[in-house]
Amino acid sequence: MSGAVAVCSLSGALIVGCISAQRAPRAVRPSVAPHQRGLAGESIKLAPGAVEPMYREKLAIDLATALQVAAAQNLDIRQAREQIEGAQGRLESAVGAAFPVIVPTALFEHVEGTVRATEGNLVGVGFNTFQPSVAAQWILNPPRVAYDIVAARKRLYASEQLEQAVQVETLRATATQYYDLVLAQTRVSAAQQGVTEAEELLRITRLRLQAGTGVPADDLRAQARLAERRQELIGAVNTFYNASVALATTLRLEPTLTLVPKADALPPVTLVRDDLDLDDLL
């Protein structure tokens, strides 16, 4: 009776192992992309030539390229993928524990010369001995095997979810840093325009002063305004360089490479459909 129970338990463990070894297909998620990527509002004008390279080279990059490079070269995503491979290997090892272990061995012995016989005298010999053998080991513990398979399957599922979370977070950080770079470049363009207007104001003020229709206070005020605008330009350029270094670090590029947005204008684009309910978005 106990033998029959053990056989039934072992058969159940093997069935559970075979079923658990199959990876469950990923859930199909609804598309949140709009059917028509409509534009709203006015486009943001960019000035790619307003910023000089910080060190030696300037590279134009768009959002699609930045996301593609981040998904391919980010170390966190690679590490998460390696964890999935490790979890898959542990699952296969747990399933393999339900089957017997077969250990084949082969012994070869070569004897040549003299040996002592059982009677005590020395006898000259020369022969070879080959002994093949096969050992099978099977540890019958069905509950532990089934638990290891279920635990390994859960770890694999957790690793897959972690990889998706890391990838989404990396792409989100890349997109945020790209738009920070765009905003920094827009501020540089606005600051450069402010410097140009301040220089023109100073020129007009000095012409009025030379013509006798102006006062020295206006000239001093125009000089102060120009110095203020130049200081704002320096701060905007510094912010742009910091944004470029942050994006280059995320993309695993050289920090000495100055990145600039590739587009001449950044039009507003609808990224997520507005006709989806909360369940589809989640």
Side-chain angles (χ1 to χ4, degrees):
M1 184 64 179
S2 60
V5 173
V7 172
C8 294
S9 301
L10 180 59
S11 301
L14 294 179
I15 294 174
V16 171
C18 294
I19 295 177
S20 300
Q22 300 178 357
R23 299 180 62 178
R26 293 186 177 181
V28 180
R29 296 178 174 83
S31 176
V32 298
H35 300 290
Q36 295 181 355
R37 301 172 67 88
L39 305 181
E42 298 181 354
S43 301
I44 300 177
K45 301 298 182 180
L46 303 179
V51 179
E52 297 297 330
M54 180 170 49
Y55 289 105
R56 58 189 180 93
E57 186 179 356
K58 182 168 64 174
L59 176 64
I61 188 172
D62 55 2
L63 179 59
T65 303
L67 295 177
Q68 184 177 2
V69 173
Q73 299 186 6
N74 188 265
L75 295 181
D76 295 335
I77 296 179
R78 291 184 178 182
Q79 183 179 4
R81 291 173 180 173
E82 292 297 330
Q83 291 180 358
I84 293 179
E85 296 295 332
Q88 180 65 27
R90 288 191 292 269
L91 176 60
E92 295 177 357
S93 177
V95 174
F99 299 94
V101 179
I102 300 177
V103 182
T105 57
L107 299 179
F108 178 78
E109 183 180 3
H110 174 73
V111 178
E112 184 176 359
T114 58
V115 297
R116 186 176 298 278
T118 57
E119 294 83 2
N121 55 338
L122 299 177
V123 180
V125 296
F127 61 88
N128 298 325
T129 303
F130 181 73
Q131 299 178 354
S133 61
V134 177
Q137 181 181 4
W138 198 353
I139 301 177
L140 298 178
N141 193 350
R144 180 175 181 179
V145 172
Y147 176 80
D148 291 342
I149 292 175
V150 173
R153 186 69 184 92
K154 294 295 184 180
R155 285 192 293 265
L156 176 60
Y157 178 75
S159 299
E160 293 175 349
Q161 297 299 318
L162 178 61
E163 189 268 341
Q164 294 181 11
V166 170
Q167 186 172 4
V168 170
E169 176 61 23
T170 301
L171 296 181
R172 184 203 62 80
T174 302
T176 302
Q177 292 174 355
Y178 179 82
Y179 283 114
D180 289 341
L181 184 66
V182 172
L183 178 60
Q185 184 178 2
T186 305
R187 289 178 176 175
V188 170
S189 179
Q192 181 65 42
Q193 183 178 358
V195 171
T196 303
E197 294 176 354
E199 291 176 348
E200 181 66 16
L201 177 62
L202 179 60
R203 187 184 69 84
I204 296 175
T205 303
R206 287 183 175 178
L207 289 178
R208 290 178 179 178
L209 186 61
Q210 293 176 2
T213 58
V215 294
D218 293 337
D219 181 69
L220 295 177
R221 189 180 298 108
Q223 293 182 17
R225 180 63 59 86
L226 178 59
E228 181 182 0
R229 293 295 180 262
R230 287 177 176 175
Q231 186 176 4
E232 292 178 355
L233 177 61
I234 294 175
V237 172
N238 181 55
T239 303
F240 177 85
Y241 286 154
N242 292 334
S244 176
V245 171
L247 181 58
T249 304
T250 302
L251 300 182
R252 305 298 298 175
L253 301 176
E254 295 183 3
T256 57
L257 189 65
T258 302
L259 300 177
V260 296
K262 187 176 182 180
D264 295 333
L266 186 65
V269 179
T270 303
L271 299 179
V272 181
R273 291 164 47 189
D274 55 359
D275 59 345
L276 297 176
D277 54 8
L278 184 59
D279 294 336
D280 292 336
L281 291 177
L282 294 178

